[in-house]
Amino acid sequence: EAQVTQNPRYLITVTGKKLTVTCSQNMNHEYMSWYRQDPGLGLRQIYYSMNVEVTDKGDVPEGYKVSRKEKRNFPLILESPSPNQTSLYFCASSFSTDYEQYFGPGTRLTVT
Amino acid sequence: AQSVTQLGSHVSVSEGALVLLRCNYSSSVPPYLFWYVQYPNQGLQLLLKYTSAATLVKGINGFEAEFKKSETSFHLTKPSAHMSDAAEYFCAVSELSQGGSEKLVFGKGTKLTVNP
C-alpha cells in the first residue's frame, strides 16, 4: 500500500530536549516536505527536498533541521524545542509539486 | 512570491444546498492549482487539480472547480452538500522559488459545516 508514515504520532516533551520526527514514503517520490498546521494559520511549509541531499527552506524554517540521506526518508529535527513549536506536523511526498502530495497522518507535538 | 487567499475561514451550509468555497491566487503566469480536503483528525487528501488542460476541473465526491485567469480565482463548488462533506478545505498553488526549485503554497483553509 502506497503511504507516508510518520513517527511518533503524539509527543509531549520539555523545552530544550532534542527530538526527531521520522517520515518515510514507499512511492519512490523525489519531492518531500514538512508542514506545520496551526489554528487560523493553515499549513505552513518548514522545509522541502527536491531529491537526495537537496533541501531548501520553506516559509518557517527557524528552529528546525532536516536531512535527506535516502530517497525514502526525510526526518525533521528540533535541536532545542520551544513552546512556540507546539503544533501539528505533516510530512508529504510527491514526484514534484505539480503532482498530488501524499500526506502522512500527522504528528501532534506539545513542548512544555 | 505566490500567495493564496481563501475568503471565509468558516462556511456553513444546509444539507442539499450549494457549496461555494473561494480561492484567489497571485501569479503572473498560470500556475498549478490544487484543492485538498482534511477530515477531522486526518491528513490532507487531494480533491482536484488544475493543470491548464481544461478550465473546469472535476474532482472526487462531486466537487469541481473553475479556473478563471481574468479573476485569478479557482473557486470550489458542489451542487448539493452532504453531511459527510464537513471538513476543512485548502487551496494550494505551486510556484518556483528564487533558487529555481519548486514549492507549494497553501491557503489558510476554510472549515465547512453542513447543517441537517
Side-chain angles (χ1 to χ4, degrees):
Chain A
E1 180 191 355
Q3 61 181 349
V4 178
T5 56
Q6 294 178 229
N7 282 293
R9 294 288 314 279
Y10 302 90
L11 179 59
I12 300 174
T13 189
V14 296
T15 298
K17 186 177 181 181
K18 181 180 178 180
L19 66 92
T20 299
V21 183
T22 64
C23 173
S24 183
Q25 50 94 3
N26 63 0
M27 295 167 278
N28 202 35
H29 287 161
E30 282 81 22
Y31 184 92
M32 297 185 74
S33 59
W34 276 102
Y35 299 89
R36 60 178 289 174
Q37 184 177 20
D38 302 288
L41 298 178
L43 270 79
R44 294 179 293 169
Q45 193 175 50
I46 302 170
Y47 269 95
Y48 62 101
S49 170
M50 301 293 289
N51 214 324
V52 176
E53 302 292 1
V54 181
T55 63
D56 205 352
K57 296 177 180 179
D59 298 313
V60 288
E62 294 77 21
Y64 304 95
K65 284 176 58 177
V66 293
S67 67
R68 187 92 182 272
K69 292 181 169 42
E70 306 166 281
K71 199 171 189 178
R72 63 183 296 125
N73 296 323
F74 190 46
L76 179 70
I77 303 158
L78 285 72
E79 295 268 2
S80 183
S82 62
N84 64 13
Q85 292 177 297
T86 292
S87 187
L88 179 58
Y89 292 86
F90 287 102
C91 179
S93 75
S94 68
F95 287 113
S96 78
T97 57
D98 300 346
Y99 288 80
E100 174 181 0
Q101 301 280 308
Y102 288 82
F103 283 81
T107 295
R108 187 166 293 281
L109 173 65
T110 302
V111 184
T112 61
Chain B
Q2 289 270 15
S3 67
V4 178
T5 302
Q6 291 184 238
L7 291 175
S9 57
H10 290 83
V11 169
S12 183
V13 301
S14 299
E15 192 173 18
L18 171 73
V19 175
L20 170 60
L21 304 181
R22 300 177 188 274
C23 173
N24 289 87
Y25 65 93
S26 64
S27 174
S28 58
V29 295
Y32 286 93
L33 293 158
F34 307 82
W35 275 101
Y36 285 85
V37 60
Q38 184 181 30
Y39 297 105
N41 300 314
Q42 294 186 28
L44 281 72
Q45 55 184 277
L46 183 70
L47 262 184
L48 51 80
K49 170 178 126 176
Y50 168 75
T51 60
S52 78
T55 56
L56 185 63
V57 183
K58 294 189 184 300
I60 61 172
N61 301 336
F63 283 93
E64 60 183 37
E66 186 173 8
F67 172 70
K68 291 187 176 180
K69 184 179 178 181
S70 60
E71 299 177 6
T72 59
S73 69
F74 191 56
H75 301 332
L76 181 71
T77 60
K78 182 174 180 177
S80 177
H82 192 272
M83 298 295 290
S84 61
D85 295 326
E88 191 158 17
Y89 294 80
F90 293 91
C91 183
V93 59
S94 68
E95 67 168 4
L96 278 177
S97 68
Q98 288 183 335
S101 56
E102 296 177 11
K103 57 184 293 192
L104 198 60
V105 178
F106 282 85
K108 293 185 177 181
T110 298
K111 188 163 286 188
L112 176 67
T113 301
V114 182
N115 303 305

